[in-house]
Amino acid sequence: MFSKAIDSVESANPRHIAIIMDGNGRWAQKRFMPRAFGHQAGVKAVRKIVECCAEQKIEVLTLFAFSSENWRRPEDEVSLLMGLFMATLQREINKLDRNNIRLRFIGDRSALSSQLQAKMAEGEKQTQSNDALTLVIAVNYGGHWDMCQAFQQILNKISTGELTHPTINTPLINQHLSTHGLPDPDLFIRTGGEQRVSNFMLWQLAYTELYFTPTLWPDFDPDALTEAINSFKGRQRRFGHTGEQMFNNSVIP
Ligand code: IPE
Ligand code: IPE
Ligand code: MG
C-alpha cells in the first residue's frame, strides 16, 4: 500500500527537455519521397514543438540537429541539411526574438561555413536578453567533443596560470561544458524508435529521465510531446535516495 502511495508522487514539469529528432529519412521513404522531403517536414515539426514548449513555460529545449558523426552521410545530404539549417535561421530568428525566445548553439562551429557561423552568432546576439524559453540547437555536436573541449579549456587555463592546481570535480567540468549555465536535461526524448543516445550530451544526461518513442520526428506533434511530459511527470526521480525518503519529502534533490 505504501509503495502504491510512493508511486503516485508526481514530478513537476521538466525544466529542460532534450530531444534527438530522429526518423526524417524513414518518414520520407515511407512516402516514396527523397530523404530531403523528410528533413523539410522535420523543420515544420520543430516549429510546432518550439511553440508548444514556449506555451508550456519550459525553460530550456535542446534539439539535436546535426551530430559530429552525421558528416559520414552522403555529401549531398550533408549540404542539404546545412542549407536547410541556414534557410531556417534566416526565416525564423526574428520570429523567435519577437516571442522572447533566446537562441543558443552548442557544438563545434569551426567546421561550419563562415556564413553559417556568422548567422548563428547573429541569432545568439539578437536574442541574448530574451528570457522566455532558451532554445539550444546542437549542431556538429557530440558528447565526446563536449567533454574533450571542456578538458582542453581547463588545461589551457592551467598553462596560462588562470587556474592554479584546480580540483577536477563536477562543478568545474560543468562550467566548461558547452551547456554551462543551463540546468541538466530532466527529460530526454528520442523519436524514430532507436533506443540509443548516439553521442548526445553524455555528461549532462547522468540523471535524465529517458523516453523513447517509435513516432518518426515529422509526426511528433504537441500531443506526442504532452504524452512524453506526462510520462515524465508520472515517474519518481530518486537521485540515489530511497522511495520513502522522496515520499516523506525529507530530501530535496
Ligand atoms: C534525423 O533523421 C535527422 C538528422 C540526423 C539530421 P534521420 O535523417 O536520421 O532519419 P532516419 O533515421 O534515417 O529515418
Ligand atoms: C542522431 O541521429 C543525430 C541527430 C538526430 C541529429 P542519427 O540518425 O544520426 O543516429 P544514429 O546514427 O542512427 O545513431
Ligand atoms: Mg536517424
Side-chain angles (χ1 to χ4, degrees), residues 33-47:
M33 295 296 278
R35 295 175 59 85
F37 185 64
H39 292 312
Q40 278 153 1
V43 175
K44 289 188 190 146
V46 167
R47 201 176 297 129

Side-chain angles (χ1 to χ4, degrees), residues 47-59:
R47 201 176 297 129
K48 286 197 199 127
I49 294 303
V50 170
E51 274 169 23
C52 179
C53 284
E55 276 162 21
Q56 299 211 27
K57 310 252 179 295
I58 301 295
E59 285 175 48

Side-chain angles (χ1 to χ4, degrees), residues 20-22 64-67 70 73 190 194 196 198:
I20 298 190
M21 312 181 286
D22 196 19
F64 203 4
F66 191 89
S67 77
N70 285 147
R73 294 192 176 202
R190 181 172 188 144
E194 311 298 349
R196 55 178 173 252
S198 299

